[in-house]
Each structure stands twice: as C-alpha cells, then as structure tokens.
Amino acid sequence: MPRFKTILVTGGAGYIGSHCVVDLLNAGHDVIAIDNFANAVCDEEGSPALKRAQQITGKKIVFYEADLLNKPQINDIFDKHPIDCVIHFAALKAVGESMQQPLLYYQNNLLGMLNLLEIMRNHECYQMVFSSSCTVYGEPEYLPITETHPTGSITNVYGRTKYFIEEMLKDLSAADEKWNIISLRYFNPVGAHPSGLIGEDPTKEFTNLMPFMAQVALGKKPVLTVFGNDYNTPDGTGIRDYIHVMDLASGHVAALNYLGSNQVGLKVYNLGTGRGVSVKELVEVFERVTETKIPLKYVDRRLGDITAMWADATLAREELGWSTKLTIEEMCTDFWRWQTMNPDGYPKKSKKTSVIVNGNS
Ligand code: NAD
Ligand code: UD1
C-alpha cells in the first residue's frame, strides 16, 4: 500500500491532471479530484476526462466541482476526506492571456495557492507536489538546464506566477519544517494516453505547437505557422524538450513516493527527457508517423520566445528514480490517436448551471 493513500488532485479535469490521475489510481492511491472547469470540458455529470480515466483504470474517482478561490468549498472537502497529500495542478496557463489580464492570473494562481496552503496547514496536511514550469528559468544561460540555473528573469505574467509561488514555498518551508514539498519544473508536455480515450481538450484557445499541428493534419487549420527559421540552431527553428504526458504523470508518482519516505522541506526537480528537438524535426516525425502532410508557413519569431531549452534531468533520475521512457514517435502517435478518435475533443453537453457533483464519482 502506498505511504500516502488519499491524494487531492487540484485541476484534475485538465490535461496533465487527468493523465496523472490514471497513474495514481494504477499505483493504488485513492483520488479526490477538484476542478472549476475554467479550462476543462464538463458535462451534466462532471468531467468526461475523469469518467474516461475511471474507464481506463476500472477504479473510482471522487470528483468535486470546486474553485480554489472559494475557501469554504475547499475547506469542506478537507473536512470530509483524510487527505494525505496534494498534487496542485490547478492554474491558468495561457501566456498571451496572462499579459492582457495580469490581475486574473495573479488572483487565480497566487491566491488559489495561498488558500490551498492555509487550508492544508489547518488540516495538518503538509505534503504537496506542485506543477511548476521550465519557464521560470527565462532565457537559458547554459544548456542543458540544471535546477541550479538562476530563475526569475521571466518575460510573461504566467511564468512569474510560477516563480512567485516557488519563492513563497521557499519561505514557507524555511519557516516551518513540517512542510514537505516537491516542485516539478515541466518542460514541454505533449502526447496523450495510449488508449486514445483521454488527451488535451482545453476550453480556452490553444497556441502550443503539437495541438496546432494536429489541427492542421486534420484539415481544421490550413497551415502551420512556424515562428522563426533564423534562430541560431542547426535548422534555424526553435528547440524544446518535449516530454510525453504519461512520462510526466509517472514523475508525479515518483515524487509522491519520495515525499513518503523523505522529509525534504522544499525540493525542485526538472521533468524533461534531456533531449532538444527543433520545430522542423518535430513536424517531420509527426508527418512520418501519422502519414500526413503539414503545410508550413515561416513567419517572424514569436515575441518572448526563447531559442532553445532542454533539461538536465539527472537529479530526478538519481533521487526520484524516475526517467522518461517514451520517444518523440510515441508522443506523436499517441497525440494523433487521441485527435483522430476524438476530432472534436470530449463530447460536450450543455452544462446545467446549478449542477454541483459533490462527492459523486
Ligand atoms: P489545464 O488548463 O489543462 O489544467 C489546469 C486545470 O486547472 C484546468 O482544468 C482548470 O479548469 C483548472 N483550474 C484553474 N484554476 C482553477 C481554480 N481556481 N480552481 C479549480 N480549478 C482550477 O493545464 P495543464 O496543461 O494540465 O497544466 C497543469 C499544470 O501544469 C498547470 O499548473 C500549468 O501551469 C502547469 N504546466 C503546464 C505545462 C503545459 O505545457 N501544459 C507546462 C508547464 C507547467
Ligand atoms: C509555451 C509557453 C510557456 C509554457 C510552455 C508549455 C509561450 C511564449 N510560452 O512555451 O510559458 O511553459 O508553452 O506550455 O507561449 N511554434 C511554432 N508555431 C506554432 C506554435 C509554436 O513555430 O504555431 C514553435 C515555438 O516558436 C517554439 C515551439 O514551437 O519554438 C514550441 O512552442 P510551444 O508549444 O508554444 O511551447 P513554448 O514556446 O516552449
């Protein structure tokens, strides 16, 4: 039996959360998931993504439609369930939107986290895994990036919310040694569960490369706009460390296991493959494994984009015993399976405004 039995997953109906829930259930944890559907599809019964996660695992999830900004709602959930550890995915994450609506992002991401930490402390739950991002590093001073690379010189509001939260967690763990927190800095999550049943289906407009490319392959968008082919990289296009979402999910189970047997205060780990892939390379692999053709249009660089970023993931391998297993081919194949099996994403039913699915699984 895992050391932490009951895990609260915030943002559980979202892209990474729903995939992580599958791994948590498979590892024998009980999952309480919450989401306010700010960026996840809902239907009359709750979250179709989580319903399918139950279908994949044959196990039950307790789900609450709840908002981290609503303290009494979250407090009730902690009163009702003996939560051992929290995995905190819930956040707004659209870079462009964060620049236009900074207050919305600071309120949702920072206040949501503050509320959660206070309620956790009041219930003597001090164990947390936090979703951070490689965006906290800003423009890299060296590659591959280690966890000791300076953070904070970030050019967008979304990234700053992740940085501020990490700083807050430093202060918190320094002030009270009971806290036991792992912050995971994700590189570029892509792909989907190999069943094709769950995947990425945001309600907000997306701008990331893989979902956009898949829309072009499906014929829903005419062309993939490549932002810059004059970077100082071998083929001139930007380089990133793409990581399969199921590898990312297993990184959370590894982090939980580590927290279960170590008092770390606050520790930070990169979750990436350690390999950089250019836009052109990714397009080529995608075309090959999906047998599609992606028309490209080269345009100017996107404002705020960095040239190249990939992880040094040695620390996670050595301390968490975690490393990635899935290839770029598998990332593309699995994403494509999800897209072709669900060209319009999850079935969307009209949402009844009064529906609260407290405790329903
Ligand atoms: P996502 O938008 O699919 O999932 C986040 C979920 O949180 C959504 O379902 C949303 O409805 C929910 N949510 C937002 N605010 C909430 C609130 N106040 N109360 C309750 N629920 C709320 O995003 P994702 O890609 O699954 O990302 C999960 C986490 O990982 C986020 O914190 C994100 O910043 C971080 N991250 C994501 C990426 C990426 O590329 N996907 C990269 C690095 C870090
Ligand atoms: C973006 C976010 C970053 C976030 C990360 C993971 C920005 C500026 N940054 O990073 O904060 O942590 O997602 O969610 O949005 N590209 C194209 N054409 C496209 C889309 C992307 O050429 O239509 C290129 C980009 O220039 C980049 C690469 O593809 O070189 C990956 O882009 P994307 O998927 O948006 O991720 P990031 O830019 O790394």
Side-chain angles (χ1 to χ4, degrees), residues 130-284:
F130 169 61
S131 294
S132 188
S133 167
C134 65
T135 195
V136 299
Y137 294 120
E139 184 73 44
E141 290 173 14
Y142 59 84
L143 288 165
I145 281 207
T146 56
E147 289 82 353
T148 50
H149 184 284
T151 57
S153 69
I154 305 153
T155 52
N156 66 76
V157 172
Y158 159 71
R160 264 194 289 280
T161 68
K162 294 290 170 189
Y163 169 70
F164 291 155
I165 288 174
E166 283 199 354
E167 293 299 297
M168 195 161 85
L169 295 177
K170 272 187 206 164
D171 293 335
L172 190 65
S173 58
D176 186 344
E177 61 187 21
K178 289 205 272 307
W179 286 101
N180 204 25
I181 302 172
I182 287 182
S183 179
L184 297 175
R185 291 179 181 156
Y186 312 157
F187 281 68
N188 287 58
V190 294
H193 189 270
S195 63
L197 286 173
I198 58 172
E200 189 170 11
D201 186 20
T203 56
K204 289 175 188 271
E205 193 67 28
F206 58 82
T207 53
N208 291 122
L209 179 59
M210 173 107 41
F212 203 94
M213 190 159 62
Q215 293 287 303
V216 177
L218 277 176
K220 292 192 163 194
K221 301 241 190 299
V223 65
L224 174 68
T225 309
V226 177
F227 300 131
N229 60 352
D230 57 352
Y231 281 109
N232 185 19
T233 60
D235 65 22
T237 64
I239 292 179
R240 299 289 185 273
D241 185 341
Y242 298 96
I243 172 172
H244 196 296
V245 67
M246 291 316 299
D247 273 333
L248 196 66
S250 75
H252 291 73
V253 176
L256 276 187
N257 289 339
Y258 196 71
L259 285 179
S261 45
N262 296 275
Q263 181 62 36
V264 302
L266 170 68
K267 281 225 68 165
V268 173
Y269 295 97
N270 286 339
L271 292 188
T273 64
R275 185 171 160 240
V277 172
S278 75
V279 174
K280 259 183 150 170
E281 281 178 295
L282 190 67
V283 170
E284 278 160 21

Side-chain angles (χ1 to χ4, degrees), residues 29-73:
H29 296 283
D30 291 339
V31 172
I32 319 280
I34 66 166
D35 207 291
N36 69 351
F37 297 115
N39 195 33
V41 172
C42 70
D43 62 21
E44 284 89 346
E45 294 153 21
S47 156
L50 290 175
K51 234 178 294 161
R52 290 182 179 190
Q54 293 187 143
Q55 187 187 336
I56 291 167
T57 58
K59 298 188 177 164
K60 288 278 176 200
I61 299 160
V62 177
F63 176 72
Y64 293 91
E65 180 176 353
D67 192 325
L68 287 166
L69 299 183
N70 185 335
K71 261 179 115 173
Q73 229 178 20

